[in-house]
Each structure stands twice: as C-alpha cells, then as structure tokens.
Amino acid sequence: MTSVAAGAPLALTADGVSKEYGERQALQGVSFTAHRGERIAIIGPNGAGKTTLLQILAGSLRASGGSVSLEEGSVGWVPQQPALYSKLTVAENLRLFARLEKRPDVPETVERMLDQTGLRDRAGEEISRLSGGNRQRVNIAIGLLAEPSVLLLDEPTSSLDPRQREVLWAFVSGLADAGTAVVYATHNVAEAERFADRVLVLADGELLFSGTPSELEQTVGGIAEAADFESAFVRFLHQRGH
Amino acid sequence: MRWLLLKDLQILRRSPLLVAVLVGYSVVVSLVAGAALSSGPSKPTVAFANLVPSDKSEVALGGRRIDASKYSEKLFEKVDPIRVKTREEAIEKVRSGEALGALVVPADVTQKLQGTLGLSGSGRPTVEVYYNAENPLKRQYVQDTIESTLAEANQAISAEVLREAARYLNVIVAGGKVGLPIVGKVDILGLRRSRAIIEAALASLPEGAPERATLEQVSRFAGLAAENLDLSKPILASISQPVQVKQKVVAGSSSSFSAFAAEAAVVTSMMFVALLLAAGMLALEREENAFGRLVRGLVSRTGLVTEKIVLAALAAFVLTAVMLGILGALLGLDFGRAPLWLVALALGAAAFGAMGVAIGGVTREVRSASLAAFVVSLPVAALALVPSGAVSEGLYDLIRVVSGAFPFRPCLQALDAAISGGELLAPLLHLAALTLAFGVIARVSLRRFA
C-alpha cells in the first residue's frame, strides 16, 4: 500500500450529503474529501448507505441535502452489477459509451481501453458470453472511458475469483498511482485494509470514522485487542452501538 | 439520442426471434386479413335432398304452371350444395361433418303449396333443415344463410302469386280471356263491360219501367266494384314488398366493411408492436443496469423517454405502412390518399410508443412490461370497437371516455378518415395530445426507475 503524497490536490468534496427515502434517512450529513491518487474504501454493514453515497457522488442519484463538488476532470462510475448491454460486443459497448461520453477520438479510446483491460482478443464477443470477471473488466473500462479524475467503484470484486481480484487491484492501484482518486465500497474488510489509503466507516447512513486502517485499529485499542482488522472493525461498530 | 437509437436497433438486429415475430406477425396478419377480405366469405357446405318427383315439381297458379324447383336454385347461390337422394343420406352428411347443414324438400311440398294457393286447407308446405351443433358459430352461420335464402324464396313465390292475383283482378274489372284447368280458355265479360251492357239496356227501357230501379242498382254496383278493384291492384303490389328501405349515413364513417376491417387489423398490429417494443426496450435499460449509468449526465431522462418513443414509433410505422400497402393493393384502396395514411400511421405509432414507454416506466422489468402491455392493450382495443347502441347510453359514454384515454380509438378514426375520407384533424390532435400525456407519465415514472 502506498500512501498519498502530502499536498496532493483535492479531487472531490462531499459536504453534508444526506438522502431521505420517505421517513427513512439513508444518509445523514456525510462529509469527506478525496485527493488525487488517493484510494478510499467505504466500509460498513448492509444498509449502511455505501451504494447510496457512491450513486450520489456519481450523479446518478439526487441528494436530499448537502453538496458534492468536483475540483477538475470528471467522475467515472462503476456500479456493482455490470451496466452493459449483453447483446452488444465488448467493443460495441465501449464504442457506445465513448460516444455518449463525447470522447474526441472514439476509435482511439476504444483501442486504449481494450489494451488497458486486456480484452483485445474478446473485443468481438457479446457480453452475454463473457465470464463474470471479464464483464466486470468491461464495466470498469466503461467507467474509465472519460479518463476521470475520480473513479467510483461499488463492490468491484464481488463477482471475481481471488486471481481476478488481484489483477483488478493491481489495475486500480496503477490508476491511483497515475493520479486518479479511487473511492470504492466493499464488504471485504481485508481488501479495505490492504488496498485503501483511507477508510470511511458508514453505519445507518452516518459517517462514523474517516482515517487510515491503522487509525481505526488504534481507535478500538490496537491490533493487540482485536485479532485482525476485521475484528477491529466489528468491535468499532459495537462500540458505536451498531 | 441517435447513438442510443442505433444501439437499440443493433440489439433488435441481434434478437432475430423477436424481430421475426414482430415483422412476421404484421405481414402474416395483413396477408391473411387481405386475402379473407378480398375473397369474401366462403359458402357453407349444405347437403340437399329434393324428394319431389321431377314430374310433380310444377304448381298450377290460375292458368299458368310454375316450376317450384327453380326457387330451390336460389339457395345454391349462397351455399355449396352436396346433392343427395334421400333424407337419411342428407342427415348422414351432417353427422359425419361433411356438410354443416342439410336441407330436405319433402315429396309433398308442391302438393301442399298447390293446396295453400287454392285455399284448400291442406296445410302449409314445409322444408326440413338439419344442423351440425358441434360448433355454435358455424351452426348460427348456416342457420342464418338457409333462413335468409328460404325467406327470399318465399318472397319470390308470394310475388308470383300476387302478380297472378293482380292479373285476375284485371280480368274481373276489364274482362278478357282466362285459361282454366279442364275447361280451357274462357272469355270473362268483366265489370266494366257488364256495366256498359246494363247501361245500354237501361237506355232502351221506358221511363216508368219497373225493371229500371233494379238494373240501375246493378249498374252502380258494377261501376263501384270496377273502380275499387282497380285501386286494389297497387295495394296488392305493395303487399309483395310492404316496407321499402332508404339508407343514408348521417354520422361516422362511410367506409366499406373490408376497408374498416383492414384499418382495425393495421391499428391492432401497430398497438402490439409499439407497446411491446417501447415498454420492453425501456425496461431493458433498467434490467441491464445501464439506466443509472446513462442518466448520470450521458443522456437526460427526457431524452431517454423520447428515444424509446421514437424507436417504437419508427418500428411500428414501418411495419404498419408495409401492412397497409399490402392490404391496400389487395383491397383496391385509393393510393392517392397514401400521404394521409402515412400521417395517421405516424401519429398513431407515436401515441402507442408513448403509451408503451409509460408502461415500461411504471413496470420497470421487461417481463412485467411485456405482460402489462399485452394485458392493457386487449381491453383497450375491445372497448374502442364497441358500437353505439350496443350498450346503454350511460355505459357507452363511459366507454367513450375510457377508450378516448388510449390511442386505439383515435388512431382507428384517423386511419379511417385518411383512407375513406372524413374528419382527420380531430383524431390527429387527439393522438398528439395522448403522445404528450403518456410521454409525461413516462418521464415522471422514471423518477423511481433506477
């Protein structure tokens, strides 16, 4: 894990973001910032509001309150379920979204993404014939078409086997190293510890913690008190009444 | 929007079964409807047993002999007869299903007809009809055909009798020769000639002759009878056709049945294609999880709704234009009005497309959307086809309001006006308003779509 260089430029700011569904508060005044090259993991129990927060940051869901501001560039969005047209080929999906993203050179963009995702030899295959892992690669590729300054991923490894997960994290780390701010939601706490510079702990729509994984461990009394990071995380939630 | 449209067309191209169903359905419907409407109804097969001996098929009417068998020939204009020799054979043909019905003319029919005409009280002639009750619709069809044909035959016989009666009246009034059985031709004096003879006799009698009063009475009777019997001839003529029909269309369509049936077939196909396509393709965006990705700045929700309406309308328009072209050629519709057909089809397709998108937006899943589109469309079409007078006035008003909220009725009215003439602007405006209304419903429904 590499830490974010001190003084990296600000990429994204969420300020008091809230979301209500009728009486239910899905998010309650969540505020945080993301810097260029930073990897932020959002962790929390089911129903914590992780996906809702990412959708609001991505602009596909309107917040009930608060604001999200992007310093420069664009936001790339990779939803949990691949958002692809299964009847179209890999290249056709990339081409369609590159056109919708209004990329200046669509063929060049498609070629670049085919190379980046290692799917060149599957370019002509329909999405419906790809494995879950390859679909997720195309899904991520579409999120990267606009060369975003901030990449949002919702449970990016949930449908991948361990080998594919390693490949994905290596790819995402490469993006962060190149200056992309990566914000991802995950249930896999170990992945948060291993690949995130900073974790945000959400529970019942409330942001309970923002800091490095080791800071979270220290908050609950250090790793000596908890067997591992996952235990520390569970203990933290218990301490906060969740 | 154009890239999304191309994407949807690409997806449709990759779904050959769906496209085959959509295209095949329209073409098959138009061909079948066109062939059925242009060839007219086929004649039902009816077994026919004429048990009247050939030498006894004539009926004496006054001095003339009428061949009763020529009236049975009228029946064969409307049915396809299987001639058999016995009643049993005729019934067997019906039982076996070879014939839908059987008509048996008993041997005594001419004798009874002769008795009826001679007022001998021997009972009215009766023909026997046998039906196959296996299919109530077919039974009703054969029953109606035979009954209407027998009514025509009855009318033709009564007309013949009335003509003969009028001729007799003429002889009684004016005098003349009449052929009678056995006796041969007889010269009848007639009332007018009788009166002339009596008048001549009266003139030769002296003023105070006692026979004069009686003869004057007979002369007056002859005069009155001649005048009144003369008047009875037009009355008899009117009995042969007591009610005349004068028809005039005062409101609605003046379309022929075949043109209206073609319009209904086209609008029904348009409804299915546009509704299913629009509802399914919008729901597909959600099912493929692409909706969330699209509306985060790539495409506006309104743009997405518009694109789906355009897609469905375009497909439905092309298919129904082809359908109407085929039907128009088969039915001999006036192709000079084709630009108006296309306007009606375009607005109808847009309204159905918008309704389909609204269904897709509300249901949110492809299967639910397709099912809802199908379930909604059938009653909408049925309601639009309910004619005034078929139900009570209040219920009809309610049906008009309900069917007016959907595109089927205005689309049918627009196409009817475009093909056969009539008020076109009102249904076109109605369709435009429905397109807008369903578009708004679809747009609002997308708020909870993701």
Side-chain angles (χ1 to χ4, degrees):
Chain A
M1 191 178 81
T2 56
S3 0
V4 184
L10 196 61
L12 179 92
T13 304
D15 184 18
V17 173
S18 61
K19 180 69 185 174
E20 289 155 19
Y21 291 106
E23 301 267 304
R24 192 172 72 83
Q25 279 254 244
L27 286 176
Q28 303 175 46
V30 175
S31 300
F32 74 97
T33 56
H35 294 79
R36 299 295 298 258
E38 191 177 20
R39 290 167 297 184
I40 299 176
I42 304 173
I43 55 176
N46 284 334
K50 302 186 291 292
T51 298
T52 304
L53 177 60
L54 284 179
Q55 284 179 325
I56 290 171
L57 297 178
S60 68
L61 192 66
R62 198 167 292 166
S64 306
S67 65
V68 176
S69 55
L70 187 69
E71 295 307 316
E72 58 176 329
S74 62
V75 174
W77 167 231
V78 181
Q80 183 177 358
Q81 298 294 328
L84 308 165
Y85 295 104
S86 53
K87 284 277 182 188
L88 300 186
T89 65
V90 172
E92 285 166 349
N93 267 285
L94 291 171
R95 197 173 301 126
L96 168 69
F97 283 102
R99 282 168 174 160
L100 294 174
E101 293 272 11
K102 297 188 173 60
R103 299 306 299 159
D105 188 345
V106 171
E108 189 273 328
T109 305
V110 172
E111 293 300 311
R112 180 168 52 82
M113 292 322 301
L114 286 173
D115 285 338
Q116 271 192 24
T117 53
L119 286 168
R120 175 164 291 287
D121 56 335
R122 315 295 291 271
E125 265 188 59
E126 279 186 21
I127 295 294
S128 58
R129 292 186 189 156
L130 296 183
S131 66
N134 281 337
R135 282 185 205 193
Q136 187 63 310
R137 285 159 82 177
V138 182
N139 195 31
I140 293 170
I142 290 172
L144 292 170
L145 279 168
E147 298 180 73
S149 54
V150 178
L151 180 64
L152 306 169
L153 304 109
D154 190 6
E155 306 278 357
T157 58
S158 60
S159 60
L160 304 183
D161 63 32
R163 191 179 57 83
Q164 288 173 326
R165 281 206 290 268
E166 284 297 317
V167 172
L168 173 77
W169 286 121
F171 179 68
V172 169
S173 295
L175 291 171
D177 292 344
T180 306
V182 178
V183 181
Y184 62 95
T186 181
H187 269 115
N188 190 331
V189 179
E191 280 184 349
E193 182 194 17
R194 197 172 156 202
F195 298 109
D197 301 311
R198 189 150 55 100
V199 293
L200 305 178
V201 179
L202 271 182
D204 291 334
E206 193 183 350
L207 182 61
L208 302 178
F209 177 84
S210 173
T212 63
S214 56
E215 284 170 348
L216 181 69
E217 286 167 352
Q218 284 161 13
T219 305
V220 293
I223 202 79
E225 292 292 319
D228 52 26
F229 181 70
E230 186 164 340
S231 305
F233 166 65
V234 173
R235 195 169 165 155
F236 173 81
L237 289 176
H238 280 160
Q239 282 178 358
R240 299 300 178 96
H242 294 283
Chain B
M1 195 175 85
R2 116 186 110 117
W3 299 122
L4 272 186
L5 195 60
L6 285 174
K7 177 267 294 179
D8 282 338
L9 292 172
Q10 215 163 11
I11 289 175
L12 284 177
R13 207 184 64 196
R14 300 264 164 82
S15 314
L17 185 65
L18 176 67
V19 174
V21 169
L22 289 175
V23 176
Y25 172 80
S26 306
V27 172
V28 168
V29 164
S30 56
L31 286 175
V32 170
L37 294 170
S38 56
S39 61
S42 61
K43 294 177 179 180
T45 308
V46 173
F48 179 69
N50 184 2
L51 307 181
V52 180
S54 56
D55 59 335
K56 291 189 176 164
S57 67
E58 287 190 343
V59 179
L61 183 60
R64 291 174 60 207
R65 297 200 71 76
I66 296 167
D67 188 354
S69 67
K70 77 176 184 184
Y71 296 104
S72 66
E73 295 300 324
K74 275 190 170 292
L75 181 70
F76 304 146
E77 292 167 8
K78 291 189 179 172
V79 301
D80 185 12
I82 305 174
R83 291 174 190 268
V84 292
K85 290 188 173 148
T86 64
R87 177 183 285 104
E88 290 69 29
E89 261 185 279
I91 294 170
E92 185 48 38
K93 293 281 181 199
V94 179
R95 279 216 179 94
S96 68
E98 202 178 325
L100 291 173
L103 180 66
V104 177
V105 181
D108 61 354
V109 78
T110 46
Q111 186 192 335
K112 286 193 170 175
L113 183 59
Q114 182 71 73
T116 303
L117 295 175
L119 301 174
S120 68
S122 57
R124 290 171 66 193
T126 307
V127 294
E128 298 161 22
V129 178
Y130 300 91
Y131 300 111
N132 189 338
E134 174 205 342
N135 183 328
L137 282 175
K138 282 183 183 174
R139 178 187 165 167
Q140 188 64 46
Y141 178 42
V142 178
Q143 202 167 6
D144 290 347
T145 305
I146 291 178
E147 280 177 3
S148 71
T149 311
L150 286 176
E152 281 178 28
N154 271 332
Q155 198 186 13
I157 293 171
S158 17
E160 193 77 44
V161 171
L162 285 169
R163 262 199 303 279
E164 201 58 21
R167 202 168 68 79
Y168 269 98
L169 277 174
N170 206 38
V171 170
I172 290 167
V173 172
K177 289 192 174 169
V178 172
L180 294 174
I182 305 167
V183 184
K185 287 212 167 180
V186 176
D187 190 22
I188 304 289
L189 184 60
L191 289 165
R192 287 201 185 114
R193 277 156 64 186
S194 306
R195 193 184 178 195
I197 292 168
I198 290 166
E199 289 293 328
L202 273 170
S204 64
L205 281 176
E207 274 302 309
E211 299 90 344
R212 180 173 280 275
T214 315
L215 283 173
E216 278 174 351
Q217 235 178 344
V218 174
S219 171
R220 273 200 301 278
F221 165 73
L224 276 172
E227 280 168 23
N228 287 305
L229 284 175
D230 244 2
L231 282 174
S232 68
K233 278 192 287 182
I235 293 170
L236 279 175
S238 74
I239 288 169
S240 68
Q241 197 170 0
V243 179
Q244 275 188 313
V245 181
K246 186 180 178 184
Q247 297 181 65
K248 191 175 181 186
V249 177
V250 291
S253 167
S254 58
S255 301
S256 66
F257 169 75
S258 57
F260 185 75
E263 291 156 12
V266 167
V267 176
T268 305
S269 299
M270 174 189 282
M271 176 179 71
F272 280 121
V273 171
L275 285 189
L276 290 172
L277 204 57
M281 292 307 278
L282 181 64
L284 188 70
E285 296 290 0
R286 185 175 181 271
E287 230 169 68
E288 300 265 44
N289 302 307
F291 178 77
R293 182 165 259 165
L294 290 175
V295 297
R296 49 172 294 272
L298 303 185
V299 182
S300 69
R301 284 172 167 83
T302 305
L304 193 62
V305 165
T306 309
E307 184 267 325
K308 298 304 173 202
I309 294 174
V310 170
L311 171 76
L314 199 64
F317 174 78
V318 171
L319 285 172
T320 50
V322 171
M323 259 184 97
L324 198 53
I326 296 172
L327 284 168
L330 288 170
L331 302 176
L333 299 181
D334 177 11
F335 275 86
R337 298 179 66 85
L340 294 178
W341 305 356
L342 297 181
V343 172
L345 288 180
L347 271 164
F352 278 121
M355 182 181 164
V357 174
I359 291 172
V362 171
T363 52
R364 306 196 290 169
E365 285 165 2
V366 175
R367 268 174 284 188
S368 311
S370 307
L371 185 65
F374 195 74
V375 166
V376 168
S377 57
L378 288 177
V380 164
L383 283 180
L385 292 170
V386 172
S388 60
V391 292
S392 69
E393 197 181 336
L395 185 56
Y396 182 69
D397 288 342
L398 180 66
I399 288 172
R400 271 178 63 84
V401 170
V402 173
S403 63
F406 299 99
F408 193 96
R409 187 162 59 87
C411 186
L412 192 60
Q413 287 169 339
L415 194 57
D416 188 48
I419 288 174
S420 307
E423 173 60 44
L424 180 60
L425 187 61
L428 289 182
L429 290 173
H430 191 163
L431 286 170
L434 287 177
T435 306
L436 192 65
F438 280 116
V440 169
I441 293 171
R443 175 63 187 81
V444 170
S445 71
L446 287 193
R447 285 184 180 171
R448 52 182 283 275
F449 198 67

